[in-house]
Amino acid sequence: MVQPTTGAADGSLRGRRRRPSGVAAAFQQRYPVRLTPEQQRYLAARRRAETVLAGLGLAVAALPMLAISVGVAATMGRPVLFTQDRITQDGRIFRARKFRSMRPPAPGAEDDRDRLVPFGRSLRETSLDESPSLWNILVGDMSIVGPRPLTTDYLGRFSADQFTRHAVPAGLTGYAQVNGRNGLDWDERFIMDQEYVRRLGLDLDLWILRDTVMTVRAPRGVTDAGGVSMADFPGPQSTVDLVMEGPDENGAWRRVDRDGRTVLQGEAEVHRDLARVRLGPEDPTASSLLDEALLLVASRLRRTDEVEWAYLEPADDPSEALVAALERAGYTAPDSGVRFPTGERPPLEAGRPAPRFLAFLGLPEEANAIAPPTCESRGRPG
């Protein structure tokens, strides 16, 4: 979809940064979430208390933060702070602040393990790298407790249900952080975030704060099972309404609803980072589920095949609903003239006809991102 300059089409992503015109990128679907009146009153009272606590915390931590700044400058150089665009309540974008824990990327040392220094590892394990986030709490970008803020390059990858985590402000610590941190897989993290929104209240926040102290004292789950950083979020592998069957040995797959009805089906041929997807006829009675079905196609290609580009051919005479859903998912015609959130050109293959639709499925690159982040590590959003 070519995103307009006025932000997301549902109005939920109004932030301080605007999306430029002429960018082919996925539209962020979300369900409206209404907190109860008691939860809304609790958030208002908590916000007043957090303003006082964050101000006191900054005053008490001033000298320790100065010492950490000296340590960061001595071991990693400048700048001392790492800043990055992240997502908070209702999809608003803010500038998060942390102490750096890695050296800048360098030739031959682009892997996170090569960039992470012992002092930075200690900061992560003790969560002292997060102390500058007290400023974000003071100004209202974050809360002390809430779902961890994720980077803006994941916009368009959340399912509608997963986006409910943004019904409340992002937090310095959260329900998922005291139940495994980055050692959890993405589906588990988002389920816990949604559970936090449903159970929001003083008792749960106090329980999370108590367990946060224990988690920091015995750090576990600072990284995922694969190494230094949390793996990239590929998108949901299923949703409340849909699951995936396949692909089989021939690349055939189906997206089916919970009653077993086929919503969308097709075949996928993968070559390196490019997938050619052929769609079969869609169920005309299930047009409301096409957005989720296409999201699951992209998510599975990212996770299983690390696909960056998708070429898509619909069945003959695709419905208007399917064409509209493809546009919302970021698919566009090769000759449309819009740009993609990457510096790479679509890998059109010589001798083969141009696809009817194509989309960039990778993470937006810093210089071409829709909401440009300053990336210390693409793999460590949490």
Side-chain angles (χ1 to χ4, degrees):
M1 180 181 183
V2 180
Q3 295 287 1
T5 57
T6 54
D10 68 350
S12 65
L13 303 180
R14 299 188 188 95
R16 296 175 183 173
R17 295 177 180 269
R18 301 292 188 178
R19 295 186 172 189
S21 61
V23 178
F27 168 92
Q28 179 60 62
Q29 301 282 343
R30 78 180 185 101
Y31 291 142
V33 175
R34 294 186 181 277
L35 300 176
T36 67
E38 287 132 325
Q39 288 177 319
Q40 292 174 343
R41 287 193 291 271
Y42 171 68
L43 282 181
R46 189 180 75 174
R47 171 69 197 130
R48 292 191 291 270
E50 286 176 336
T51 302
V52 176
L53 292 174
L56 291 174
L58 285 170
V60 171
L63 287 178
M65 289 172 66
L66 178 61
I68 293 172
S69 298
V70 173
V72 171
T75 57
M76 288 167 273
R78 296 187 178 184
V80 169
L81 291 181
F82 162 58
T83 62
Q84 188 177 55
D85 283 347
R86 299 208 178 191
I87 314 166
T88 188
Q89 189 174 23
D90 296 326
R92 183 169 65 86
I93 298 170
F94 73 100
R95 199 72 169 167
R97 293 168 174 81
K98 301 167 63 174
F99 282 120
R100 284 180 54 207
S101 57
M102 291 183 180
R103 294 191 183 98
E110 295 182 358
D111 187 270
D112 285 350
R113 281 181 289 268
D114 298 325
R115 298 169 54 200
L116 187 64
V117 301
F119 185 73
R121 186 184 298 276
S122 298
L123 290 179
R124 288 189 177 198
E125 291 178 349
T126 58
S127 295
L128 289 173
D129 61 328
E130 304 278 358
S131 51
S133 296
L134 288 170
W135 173 258
N136 292 116
I137 296 173
L138 180 66
V139 299
D141 292 329
M142 295 175 59
S143 289
I144 296 175
V145 180
R148 288 291 294 155
L150 297 179
T151 54
T152 57
D153 45 15
Y154 290 140
L155 287 173
R157 293 195 178 192
F158 302 106
S159 71
D161 293 288
Q162 288 171 339
F163 200 78
T164 63
R165 72 192 303 275
H166 299 114
V168 297
L172 191 62
T173 185
Y175 193 37
Q177 278 58 53
V178 298
N179 284 284
R181 298 175 80 174
N182 288 341
L184 302 172
D185 64 34
W186 283 104
D187 287 341
E188 290 175 314
R189 293 178 74 185
F190 288 147
I191 288 172
M192 289 185 180
D193 289 342
Q194 294 170 63
E195 179 68 12
Y196 174 77
V197 172
R198 286 191 291 270
R199 295 174 53 193
L200 175 68
L202 178 61
D203 290 345
L204 181 57
D205 280 354
L206 291 176
W207 180 84
I208 291 171
L209 288 172
R210 183 202 66 187
D211 278 24
T212 296
V213 175
M214 298 172 62
T215 300
V216 171
R217 291 177 60 186
R220 292 185 298 271
V222 177
T223 70
D224 70 354
V228 171
S229 299
M230 183 65 189
D232 292 335
F233 172 50
Q237 302 304 301
S238 65
T239 68
V240 170
D241 298 312
L242 294 179
V243 295
M244 177 176 178
E245 292 184 357
D248 59 20
E249 63 274 7
N250 298 316
W253 50 264
R254 294 195 309 152
R255 301 293 180 271
V256 298
D257 65 15
R258 298 295 176 171
D259 296 323
R261 178 182 58 164
T262 299
V263 174
L264 196 65
Q265 60 185 323
E267 297 176 351
E269 173 190 346
V270 178
H271 179 64
R272 295 183 181 175
D273 62 351
L274 169 66
R276 282 188 172 268
V277 181
R278 292 175 293 277
L279 296 183
E282 78 273 15
D283 186 335
T285 66
S287 59
S288 62
L289 297 177
L290 288 175
D291 290 289
E292 287 190 2
L294 290 170
L295 175 61
L296 292 184
V297 172
S299 300
R300 185 59 60 92
L301 289 172
R302 292 189 197 105
R303 192 180 78 167
T304 61
D305 299 295
E306 298 184 350
V307 165
E308 293 269 308
W309 292 91
Y311 292 176
L312 189 142
E313 294 290 346
D316 294 337
D317 299 321
S319 67
E320 291 184 3
L322 177 58
V323 172
L326 287 170
E327 291 178 349
R328 289 191 294 270
Y331 288 88
T332 185
D335 58 355
S336 62
V338 301
R339 70 176 180 86
F340 294 93
T342 175
E344 300 178 5
R345 295 179 62 85
L348 297 174
E349 298 168 298
R352 301 190 68 169
R356 183 165 178 183
F357 295 96
L358 62 90
F360 177 70
L361 303 185
L363 286 176
E365 297 172 4
E366 180 177 346
N368 300 279
I370 298 167
T374 303
C375 296
E376 177 187 22
S377 169
R378 279 176 36 159
R380 190 186 180 243

